[in-house]
Amino acid sequence: MDEIPSGARRAARLPCGRVGKWVVLVLWLGALAALGPLSGKLTDVQDNQASSWLPESAESTEVLRVLEGFRSSDEVPAIVVYDRPEGLRQADLARIADDTRAFAGLDGVDRRVAGPIPSGERPLPEAAQVVVPLDIGEDGWDRLPGLIDEMRRIAGDGADEVSVHVTGPAGFGGDSAEAFEGIDSTLLYAALAVVVTMLLLTYRSPSLWVLPVLVVGSALAVAQGVVYLLARYADLTVNGQSAGILLVLVFGAGTDYALLLVARYREELRRHSDRHEAMAYALHRAGPAIWASGATVAISMLCLLFADLNSTAGLGPVAAIGIGIALLAMVTLLPALLTITGRWVFWPVRPAFGSADRTERGLWARIGRTVARGPRVAWAVTAVVLGVLALGTLTLKADGLTNAGSFTETPDSVVGERVLAEHFPAGAGQPIQVVSNAGQAGQVREAFAGVPGVVSVGQPEVRDGIAYLEGTTEAAPDTQEGLATLVNVRDAVHAVPDAGALAGGQAALLYDTAQANTHDRNLIIPLVLVVVFCILAVLLRSLLAPLVLIATVVLSFFATLGISAFFFNNVFGFENADPSFPLFVFVFLVALGIDYNIFLMTRVREEASRDGTRRGMLTGLATTGGVITSAGLVLAGTFAVLGTLPLTFLAELGFAVAVGVLIDTMIVRGVLVCALTLDIGRWIWWPDRLMHKRDEQPRATRLQASGSAAPG
């Protein structure tokens, strides 16, 4: 290892030395013993209430604070809907009245239960509703499913041919909580199956896959323990969504880093008789790319801290912690385990010292030679195809998901909402809430009631100089019509002089969330691009190469959105996408897509410093192509498992990221980046002095060499 500087050699030997590997193993066992038990408690600190996701400055958040003087901030209304198409008889209404009294006795019902409220059909009402205000407390997310089940038991679903459904915010909250129940185990087993399958196919070894799985599992347990401590003691916002993404990121990105390191380690085992020396050399050569990749993803995720939306801001450190710990595990624990186990772990294809490395005569070597025959045509055609796919972005509907559209299935709350809309104003039970100064309550009520789409406004409730009003709307709060009504109500009540009026409620929560998402997207996307550019510029010591790489990934992002829009609209039948969907897809695709370009271009630069940029590109593609392809398939597969959950947002996010990663892996890196680098040539390294290094051979000779002994 004389060619490695002494400082780098010492650093590379730390996790894989004859003594150091055991020290590393003991330290990780200690971390697992301390933090592993806490990982199972992560669900205890999750906050999945929509109101807690909003920024402090949102008008709906201010209304919630004011309403604490009128009722508990943890109160969520449940709407029980009774339906009989032939009409509800007096006996049915009497039984509903009995149910109403029973609902009032439930634990957590502190205010008067409203109902039964019959619908307006004559001679017999076909439906009736009961509004049950549930004070679910701080741990209400976990309590909701049980409370909803108890309400269904009281109502006797299906008794006497009367159908019963529980809907409203509490009903949807209960169904969402049930959808998140078991999310950790569902995602864990699905991601584990994907990772094990891909590692078996990649390594073709019955034993080698065990080590990366053990390491990534250890990293996940430690990361979840750290996140639990931050959520418990540092007010970090964690919800079921961010916890699920944490699991997928750690499994996907961690396995990617393992694949890259093991591939380079296998190369070095053929060149070094001592496995400790081979691992140290592999860490020295592959380490910068792995560290840069992890840093790119982690810092990109931390950019989410600048988001207004608390749920988005909370995801930033959660994801960054997961990536950071996965990265640390793959450059410490995995090297230690690989050197402890020795070469036999690669059985039946053990990389013996002095044996031939066939990676340079594989598929990606042939693709590189094909692209090299006409690089300008290759990148132009590829860019045009991706550009055409990107046009589909114009058909992407990301205006927000309705309650019904939030589930890939049809839970009881969605059925109840439909029944409610057939017989009552769609906004019944989910009113717009207005607070104002008590002295102007009459004027505010008049302005409120005069807004088109508002069916009725109750009398003001006054307490401590503050007036509280509720208004029922014709449209459901989660529809575009309901949101438009909310905006008109705000305009009307804000115009009342000296009233200090504010409008909140379910529609306001959704509207303010959408506004915050727009702000976050416009701020964070440019910020991530700047961060990625800076990291690439430092790593590659070039200003032109980062611009080229970022441009290719951005083009891939828009192509992914176009493909996703087509499938969402025409195949899966999703009604819409969440407003945060483009931002999340961008952050994941740019950060993770740049990963593969880092893996490739750091190897290209290493080879170009010896043989020139052209041969460096072809050799780099040939030697990294297989492992990057495997890494892309692993990451795409782990994100795709988000589709196993019955939640539209996660299913859409998993599909889009999986598609984008495959585009980056197969097309962008293997064809577009390769062709652009070959066409630009040594100037890709501008302004670094490497741009002055010419290829060692004349062009014709180089082509001949690249087809035989060189980069195959």
Side-chain angles (χ1 to χ4, degrees):
M1 292 184 62
D2 294 336
E3 62 271 43
I4 299 179
S6 59
R9 179 166 65 245
R10 287 194 297 270
R13 285 189 184 278
L14 286 177
C16 57
R18 299 182 187 279
V19 175
K21 61 187 179 183
W22 297 108
V23 173
V24 167
L25 180 59
V26 170
L27 290 175
W28 271 99
L29 289 175
L32 280 172
L35 296 170
L38 300 179
S39 64
K41 299 181 179 181
L42 185 57
T43 55
D44 298 339
V45 294
Q46 292 179 16
D47 188 349
N48 293 286
Q49 300 181 54
S51 59
S52 66
W53 297 9
L54 289 167
E56 292 295 316
S57 59
E59 185 169 340
S60 52
T61 307
E62 294 183 41
V63 171
L64 288 173
R65 283 197 292 266
V66 174
L67 287 180
E68 290 179 2
F70 291 83
R71 63 198 58 185
S72 169
S73 60
D74 297 316
E75 183 178 290
V76 182
I79 305 175
V80 187
V81 186
Y82 297 80
D83 174 50
R84 186 206 291 272
E86 297 80 12
L88 295 171
R89 301 184 293 265
Q90 283 301 119
D92 298 324
L93 293 174
R95 175 169 180 173
I96 295 172
D98 291 338
D99 292 347
T100 301
R101 288 187 286 273
F103 294 148
L106 286 173
D107 181 31
V109 179
D110 298 328
R111 292 197 308 120
R112 187 179 68 84
V113 176
I117 305 169
S119 58
E121 295 89 2
R122 295 291 183 269
L124 294 176
E126 296 178 7
Q129 63 170 315
V130 177
V131 182
V132 184
L134 297 174
D135 186 354
I136 57 178
E138 293 184 358
D139 60 343
W141 181 259
D142 297 323
R143 291 184 59 205
L144 261 181
L147 284 171
I148 299 302
D149 288 342
E150 180 65 12
M151 294 172 67
R152 291 192 179 109
R153 186 194 64 77
I154 292 172
D157 188 14
D160 300 328
E161 299 180 351
V162 177
S163 61
V164 184
H165 309 282
V166 181
T167 186
F172 284 107
D175 287 334
S176 295
E178 287 188 351
F180 276 110
E181 279 183 4
I183 181 174
D184 290 341
S185 58
T186 300
L187 288 180
L188 177 62
Y189 295 138
L192 186 62
V194 169
V195 168
V196 170
T197 300
M198 288 308 306
L199 290 177
L200 281 170
L201 293 175
T202 301
Y203 294 141
R204 295 186 293 277
S205 167
S207 53
L208 181 56
W209 64 270
V210 175
L211 298 186
V213 168
L214 285 176
V215 174
V216 79
S218 301
L220 177 62
V222 171
Q224 288 176 330
V226 172
V227 170
Y228 167 80
L229 291 175
L230 291 176
R232 181 74 173 81
Y233 299 107
D235 294 327
L236 176 64
T237 300
V238 182
N239 52 47
Q241 176 179 292
S242 57
I245 291 174
L246 169 67
L247 187 151
V248 168
L249 267 181
V250 171
F251 258 87
T255 306
D256 278 6
Y257 303 147
L259 285 166
L260 184 68
L261 179 62
V262 172
R264 192 60 188 255
Y265 176 50
R266 183 157 46 186
E267 276 188 54
E268 301 307 328
L269 283 173
R270 302 180 189 278
R271 300 170 183 167
H272 301 271
S273 58
D274 187 300
R275 66 179 185 273
H276 302 88
E277 187 176 356
M279 177 56 76
Y281 199 98
L283 278 173
H284 173 71
R285 289 302 188 189
I290 296 175
W291 280 108
S293 299
T296 301
V297 179
I299 297 175
S300 297
M301 295 301 151
L302 288 177
C303 289
L304 296 176
L305 281 169
F306 293 94
D308 268 356
L309 206 61
N310 286 336
S311 58
T312 302
L315 174 62
V318 169
I321 288 167
I323 290 294
I325 292 176
L327 171 63
L328 185 63
M330 293 306 163
V331 296
T332 57
L333 182 57
L334 181 60
L337 292 177
L338 284 169
T339 50
I340 287 172
T341 53
R343 295 176 190 260
W344 70 265
V345 78
F346 288 91
W347 183 86
V349 186
R350 294 175 58 187
F353 173 56
S355 60
D357 186 356
R358 296 183 174 84
T359 58
E360 296 191 7
R361 293 192 295 275
L363 172 64
W364 287 105
R366 294 194 295 272
I367 291 175
R369 291 195 295 270
T370 301
V371 171
R373 295 189 186 102
R376 187 164 301 175
V377 173
W379 72 253
V381 171
T382 304
V384 168
V385 171
L386 292 176
V388 170
L389 293 174
L391 293 176
T393 304
L394 300 174
T395 65
L396 179 67
K397 297 175 289 186
D399 300 323
L401 293 165
T402 64
N403 289 328
S406 298
F407 300 91
T408 57
E409 301 170 351
T410 307
D412 182 65
S413 56
V414 171
V415 178
E417 183 182 57
R418 292 171 182 169
V419 173
L420 193 69
E422 289 177 5
H423 304 287
F424 299 92
Q430 303 181 74
I432 292 178
Q433 302 167 328
V434 173
V435 295
S436 71
N437 296 328
Q440 287 74 34
Q443 296 171 270
V444 171
R445 183 177 185 275
E446 183 179 352
F448 190 0
V451 174
V454 176
V455 176
S456 62
V457 177
Q459 292 298 320
E461 179 183 347
V462 178
R463 186 174 300 174
D464 298 328
I466 301 294
Y468 170 64
L469 294 160
E470 286 187 352
T472 300
T473 59
E474 185 67 37
D478 59 348
T479 62
Q480 293 302 312
E481 294 80 6
L483 296 178
T485 302
L486 177 276
V487 173
N488 292 334
V489 167
R490 281 183 170 173
D491 291 340
V493 300
H494 290 170
V496 177
D498 302 320
L502 301 170
Q506 185 67 18
L509 291 173
L510 296 173
Y511 178 79
D512 290 343
T513 298
Q515 294 298 107
N517 273 316
T518 300
H519 165 272
D520 295 346
R521 182 190 65 212
N522 295 339
L523 172 66
I524 292 172
I525 285 179
L527 186 59
V528 170
L529 289 176
V530 171
V531 166
V532 170
F533 174 83
C534 292
I535 292 175
L536 288 175
V538 172
L539 179 69
L540 299 177
R541 285 166 278 175
S542 166
L543 296 179
L544 181 57
L547 291 175
V548 172
L549 297 179
I550 289 174
T552 62
V553 175
V554 170
L555 179 59
S556 169
F557 162 71
F558 282 108
T560 298
L561 289 188
I563 294 172
S564 299
F566 173 82
F567 277 88
F568 295 170
N569 298 335
N570 302 294
V571 179
F572 302 140
F574 296 146
E575 65 171 27
N576 220 325
D578 190 83
S580 64
F581 172 76
L583 172 62
F584 279 18
V585 173
F586 178 85
V587 171
F588 286 127
L589 281 189
V590 169
L592 297 172
I594 285 293
D595 262 12
Y596 301 123
N597 283 325
I598 288 175
F599 294 166
L600 171 65
M601 293 304 289
T602 51
R603 184 61 181 265
V604 171
R605 182 180 176 86
E606 178 186 336
E607 300 293 338
S609 64
R610 292 194 298 265
D611 301 324
T613 299
R614 183 183 181 85
R615 281 181 58 82
M617 181 70 245
L618 296 177
T619 303
L621 180 64
T623 54
T624 65
V627 65
I628 292 178
T629 300
S630 298
L633 291 172
V634 167
L635 193 62
T638 51
F639 265 92
V641 302
L642 288 173
T644 61
L645 303 175
L647 298 166
T648 302
F649 173 74
L650 291 179
E652 290 178 338
L653 179 64
F655 175 85
V657 175
V659 168
V661 166
L662 292 177
I663 291 175
D664 281 336
T665 304
M666 306 295 183
I667 300 174
V668 171
R669 177 198 48 81
V671 179
L672 187 56
V673 171
C674 176
L676 283 168
T677 303
L678 290 171
D679 195 19
I680 297 171
R682 56 194 172 92
W683 301 104
I684 194 73
W685 310 113
W686 180 87
D688 186 71
R689 62 184 180 183
L690 184 57
M691 71 177 182
H692 299 298
K693 181 174 180 57
R694 299 178 180 274
D695 290 310
E696 296 298 329
Q697 305 170 27
R699 183 173 184 275
T701 308
R702 286 199 313 270
L703 286 174
Q704 181 180 359
S706 66
S708 56

